[in-house]
């Protein structure tokens, strides 16, 4: 008799992870002396966790800290430090009780979705988008509503797009700076969207994981414009701590206890050792600013050179460490294009289909958080390959 398989089993793959595996395989199969594979597909800093974070962990381990469970919402000292970060960066007075520490931003998504939405609810988001939003919503029986966005709105949603949705959606997910386009909602645009959502009873989920990585304008937080928004953030990007699996969410008052109960049952708490590291990371801005300066130089170099290397149509790239390139004039099959680029130029990048099922075939995403020298060499190789 056939056994039942749950709807979660239908979650599609996160194709970037498959691209990483292909680049690893290619790198492993290269003959001696062949040019290295240059990695522009991965969305993670190549740098270690900041030194102060590593020192704090070393000290705690040497002191024999038992590293037991913490409170479900996180260590009180870390929650207070995160709340203080909102004062430091945004001038916002945020009570520490609204902060929940999570296992990366990734764990905050199902937490937020389960706390705020029901199966069948309609959650709007602009395409191109970070694929797990859609895949997690789908696995939870919720219905993503894709709003196609293009260069006119810097690949971001707008109030006009939201006004056109009838009936109103139950929720909206935004990301600024976003992955894959690296574009931002400017403070006035974010404020307008956050206020519209609050007024219309649409629960806003704002993914702010790339805050700290912006090159032209400072990042604004949705928490400044709406008390009903859920804000998600992480130590993975600016703080260079991807594998530590540590992030946080700022929750509205009405979701605090529901979220606490969900964490108690689903995770107990985020990893204790990573909470120790995370708290110390807030005192490491000098080192983290050096990382930012390197991304800034790589970004400037690529924005200068890629147009002449056959990629004239690039997203404005205001933040994060991504460039989203329209390759429509060269190919309508971004998967095949990326495979050929890996094979012939030894450069791994991500096909746009992962981020936009409908239009992604004419886009690819370059990530420029790798070593600066690699990013420069990639630009030269692409110019020679075109
Ligand atoms: C937009 C966005 N949100 C969330 C995540 C997941 O981050 P974390 O490592 O904190 O789980 C990523 C990772 O690339 C991302 O790009």
């Amino acid at each position: 008799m056939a056994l039942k398989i749950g709807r979660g089993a239908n979650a599609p793959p996160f194709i970037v992870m498959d691209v990483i595996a292909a680049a690893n395989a290619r790198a492993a199969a290269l003959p001696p002396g062949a040019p290295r594979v240059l990695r522009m597909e991965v969305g993670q800093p190549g740098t270690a966790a900041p030194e102060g974070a590593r020192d704090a962990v070393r000290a705690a381990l040497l002191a024999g800290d038992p590293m037991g469970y913490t409170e479900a919402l996180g260590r009180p000292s870390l929650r207070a430090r995160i709340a203080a970060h909102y004062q430091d960066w945004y001038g916002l007075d945020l009570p520490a009780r609204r902060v929940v520490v999570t296992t990366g931003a990734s764990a905050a998504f199902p937490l937020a979705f389960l706390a705020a939405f029901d199966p069948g609810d309609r959650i709007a988001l602009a395409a191109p988008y970070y694929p797990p939003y859609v895949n997690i919503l789908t696995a939870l029986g919720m219905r993503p509503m894709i709003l196609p966005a293009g260069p006119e709105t810097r690949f971001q949603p707008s109030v006009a797009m939201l006004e056109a949705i009838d009936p109103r959606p139950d929720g909206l997910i935004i990301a600024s700076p976003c992955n894959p386009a690296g574009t931002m909602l400017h403070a006035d645009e974010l404020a307008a969207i956050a206020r519209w959502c609050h007024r219309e009873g649409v629960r806003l989920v704002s993914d702010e994981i790339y805050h700290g990585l912006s090159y032209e304008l400072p990042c604004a937080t949705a928490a400044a414009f709406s008390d009903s928004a859920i804000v998600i953030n992480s130590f993975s990007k600016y703080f260079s701590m991807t594998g530590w699996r540590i992030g946080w969410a700022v929750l509205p008052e009405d979701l605090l206890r529901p979220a606490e109960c969900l964490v108690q049952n689903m995770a107990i708490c985020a990893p204790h050792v990573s909470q120790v590291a995370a708290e110390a990371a807030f005192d490491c801005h000098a080192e983290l600013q050096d990382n930012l300066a390197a991304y800034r130089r790589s970004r400037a170099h690529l924005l200068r050179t890629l147009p002449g290397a056959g990629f004239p149509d690039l997203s404005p790239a205001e933040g994060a460490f991504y460039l989203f390139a329209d390759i429509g004039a060269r190919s309508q099959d971004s998967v095949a294009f990326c495979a050929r680029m890996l094979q012939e130029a030894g450069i791994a990048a991500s096909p746009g289909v992962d981020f936009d099922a409908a239009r992604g075939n004419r886009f690819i995403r370059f990530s420029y958080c790798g070593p600066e020298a690699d990013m420069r060499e990639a630009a030269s190789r692409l110019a020679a390959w075109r």
Side-chain angles (χ1 to χ4, degrees):
M1 191 162 112
L3 294 178
K4 191 168 178 269
I5 295 181
R7 67 173 157 234
N10 291 329
F14 182 10
I15 296 173
V16 173
M17 304 307 286
D18 291 346
V19 176
I20 291 173
N24 287 342
R26 167 115 186 114
L30 282 179
R36 282 177 315 114
V37 172
L38 300 176
R39 313 297 296 248
M40 299 186 82
E41 85 286 19
V42 281
Q44 66 170 339
T47 44
E51 202 176 328
R54 286 179 279 140
D55 285 346
V57 167
R58 199 177 292 120
L61 293 178
L62 288 174
D65 186 324
M67 297 285 170
Y69 296 136
T70 68
E71 288 175 25
L73 295 178
R75 297 175 93 209
S77 57
L78 174 57
R79 295 173 68 205
R81 189 64 193 82
I82 292 170
H85 172 72
Y86 281 81
Q87 185 59 254
D88 296 347
W89 276 28
Y90 312 102
L92 187 66
D93 199 8
L94 186 81
R97 70 167 185 284
R98 288 187 52 198
V99 176
V100 50
V101 178
T102 57
T103 306
S106 299
F109 297 135
L111 178 67
F113 299 164
L114 285 169
F117 306 125
D118 285 322
D121 279 359
R122 296 150 61 247
I123 322 297
L125 71 165
Y129 49 78
Y130 175 62
Y133 304 144
V134 163
N135 299 346
I136 296 171
L137 287 171
T138 307
L140 294 176
M142 295 157 188
R143 289 185 291 156
M145 290 186 63
I146 307 299
L147 310 174
E152 326 72 60
T153 58
R154 299 188 307 282
F155 300 95
Q156 291 282 359
S158 64
V159 170
M161 284 181 206
L162 298 172
E163 281 287 353
I165 307 175
D166 184 23
R168 296 285 187 244
D170 299 286
L172 170 71
I173 302 174
I174 56 172
S176 171
C178 74
N179 177 5
T183 56
M184 288 167 57
L185 283 166
H186 300 168
D188 57 332
E189 297 162 336
L190 178 64
I193 287 179
R195 291 185 181 130
W196 182 90
C197 284
H198 187 76
R199 202 173 53 242
E200 298 291 325
V202 175
R203 180 75 74 177
L204 177 63
V205 179
S206 177
D207 183 352
E208 302 185 354
I209 185 170
Y210 290 102
H211 277 209
L213 303 177
S214 65
Y215 307 98
E216 281 156 20
L217 293 171
C219 300
T221 175
F225 306 117
S226 164
D227 288 337
S228 61
I230 300 171
V231 169
I232 292 176
N233 209 320
S234 170
F235 292 89
S236 286
K237 309 294 174 170
Y238 171 77
F239 292 96
S240 188
M241 293 173 57
T242 49
W244 296 75
R245 310 306 305 125
I246 186 87
W248 77 86
V250 175
L251 298 172
E253 297 283 350
D254 57 340
L255 297 183
L256 279 180
R257 183 62 183 155
E260 183 173 18
C261 296
L262 283 165
V263 178
Q264 288 168 346
N265 285 290
M266 296 198 310
I268 298 188
C269 65
H272 190 147
V273 68
S274 304
Q275 296 194 46
V276 171
E279 194 173 328
F282 282 113
D283 295 322
C284 301
H285 287 300
E287 187 180 336
L288 298 169
Q289 287 297 319
D290 286 347
N291 295 348
L292 178 64
Y295 302 149
R296 187 186 288 283
R297 287 190 295 269
S298 293
R299 168 184 181 270
H301 186 74
L302 290 167
L303 285 177
R304 204 166 45 243
T305 51
L306 285 187
F311 298 96
D313 216 342
L314 298 168
S315 58
E318 303 164 289
F321 32 55
Y322 304 116
L323 292 170
F324 202 47
D326 187 339
I327 54 154
R330 295 175 73 173
S331 169
Q332 295 292 327
D333 181 348
S334 60
V335 173
F337 186 87
C338 286
R340 201 159 57 78
M341 197 163 76
L342 178 61
Q343 190 68 30
E344 296 172 5
I347 294 173
S350 302
V353 282
D354 216 9
F355 310 100
D356 184 344
R359 301 168 304 163
N361 252 326
R362 42 177 282 208
F363 289 93
I364 67 171
R365 186 195 74 177
F366 290 110
S367 168
Y368 56 86
C369 57
E372 250 183 293
D374 284 12
M375 299 304 108
R376 286 180 170 264
E377 187 179 337
S380 316
R381 280 198 207 172
L382 287 171
W385 178 64
R386 66 170 302 186

